[in-house]
Every structure is written in C-alpha cells, then in structure tokens.
Amino acid sequence: MSEDAELRREIARVARRLYERKLISALAGNVSARPRGASYFWITPSGVFKGELSEDSLIKVDLEGSILEGSLRPSIEWRMHALIYKRREDVSAVVHAHNPVATALSALGEGVFAEVEESILVGKVAVVPPAPPGSLELAEMVADAIAERRASLVVLQRHGVVAIGESPLEAEARVEALEEAAVSLALEILLRSATGLRRPPERGQR
C-alpha cells in the first residue's frame, strides 16, 4: 500500500473514532495528513457525516488551497491546516476536534492547563481567543501558537482544539489525552469550589 493510501485510511479511521468518542459532531471537526515535508495534504471534506467517513471522500489540497484530487469541498478550516504545514515542516498531521471540557476550561485562561502540560503526550498547550471558523485570522493565530510558541495543542476559546503530530493517530492521541486531563481538572475545580477544600501543597512544599 502506498504512503498516500495509508494516510487516507488513517485519516478516515481517526475521524470516525473522534465521532464515536463524542469529540466531534456529525458534520464538525476536521483531520488532515501529508507525507513528511510534502507540499500537499489530504483533508476531510465539508458537510460529510464523520461517523461513516470513507477514505474515498478525502480531498487532496496543495498548500495554497488548490484542489488536486477529489470531487467534494475541503473543510472550511483548510487554511489553518495549510498554514501549519507551511510553518512547521516536521508536522505531518493535524486534528481539529471540539473537546467540550477542554474548550470550556479555556475560559479560565492558558494557565489552567499548566499541570496538563506535564504529560509527555500532551506537550505544550496554548490558548487563542475566538475568531470566525475558517478565517485567515484563526488560521494565523493557531499557526503562530504552533510555530512560534512550539505548542503541540492549541485550545480555541468557544470553538475546540487543534493538535499536531507525526501521524493522525498521534494527533488524535493528544486530543484525547487533553480531554481526559481536562475532565479530571474540571471535577477537581468543582469539588474544591463546592466544599471549600484547599489545594494540596506542591510537591516538596510543606
């Protein structure tokens, strides 16, 4: 099987799994991947049910947004994917999901994710303010966070999260690890707020 065929199969599988795990909805979220350093990428289409996504429905797009293969429209977030690939040659996959808890926690600011960053899988987490979906403004903010601030995960306030990886599976794993950590963190915040419990001292402190 060619590298492109394997990437397409993995993209479709990741999209279906994100839908099953309620990290994207039927028509929301997008996944892309490219052969390492390539000037094109495969991306999920717009307006297609993600729960039954087929690799045959993926769109091949160059870094300027021209469609090279496929009969459907690429995701409206293609600019964000393209700009990330332009700015980070080492990135081979991008996943944009709609993690409910991590997105909600982003209202508390970037600092809330400090402990989450201790996970090797998650890596550095950045938060960017709201911007219209599919806009160049959003694409530039996310690409800046990934290229300049070397974030592996970017939380888009009121919108979702973006993860990068060497493969769609690695990017998906980061998305899932972030949401799992966010759930635990949110429950701790609620518990301490409801009971008045103080946060335990940091390791090494008394």
Side-chain angles (χ1 to χ4, degrees):
M1 181 180 292
S2 70
E3 184 176 5
D4 277 52
E6 179 60 31
L7 282 176
R8 291 169 65 192
R9 187 170 71 172
E10 195 170 314
I11 291 168
R13 186 171 59 197
V14 163
R16 293 193 301 266
R17 192 154 51 204
L18 288 169
Y19 173 77
E20 291 168 359
R21 297 179 182 180
K22 302 188 185 306
L23 292 173
I24 61 174
S25 57
L27 302 179
N30 32 84
V31 182
S32 74
R34 65 172 175 174
R36 189 173 182 85
S39 58
Y40 67 87
F41 58 97
W42 294 94
I43 190 168
T44 49
S46 177
V48 173
F49 176 47
K50 301 300 189 298
E52 296 178 356
L53 188 70
S54 164
E55 56 215 70
D56 294 331
S57 64
L58 300 181
I59 315 299
K60 185 179 182 180
V61 183
D62 69 18
L63 297 182
E64 304 306 319
S66 298
I67 296 176
L68 305 178
E69 287 186 39
S71 58
L72 300 173
R73 290 181 296 114
S75 165
I76 65 167
E77 300 291 6
W78 69 265
R79 292 178 183 82
M80 181 170 66
H81 293 252
L83 201 51
I84 291 170
Y85 291 133
K86 281 183 179 181
R87 306 270 307 268
R88 286 280 299 270
E89 291 188 0
D90 59 314
V91 172
S92 295
V94 177
V95 168
H96 170 40
H98 289 173
N99 300 32
V101 181
T103 303
L105 281 180
S106 69
L108 302 178
E110 196 166 287
V112 75
F113 296 108
E115 291 185 15
V116 175
E117 292 178 340
E118 293 179 5
S119 166
I120 295 175
L121 181 61
V122 171
K124 181 173 175 55
V125 180
V127 175
V128 298
S135 65
L136 181 59
E137 178 187 4
L138 179 62
E140 289 178 338
M141 285 194 298
V142 173
D144 282 347
I146 289 171
E148 304 300 326
R149 298 164 62 189
R150 308 305 288 184
S152 299
L153 274 154
V154 182
V155 185
L156 323 177
Q157 289 186 328
R158 303 177 192 166
H159 188 161
V161 306
V162 175
I164 60 171
E166 294 184 0
S167 69
L169 288 175
E170 182 179 56
E172 178 203 5
R174 284 192 165 121
V175 165
E176 294 187 10
L178 177 65
E179 187 66 4
E180 182 179 354
V183 168
S184 296
L185 185 56
L187 289 173
E188 180 183 342
I189 291 170
L190 287 172
L191 178 62
R192 295 189 179 283
S193 175
T195 63
L197 287 175
R198 296 173 58 186
R199 198 173 181 81
E202 298 294 330
R203 189 176 303 171
Q205 296 181 352
R206 296 184 180 178

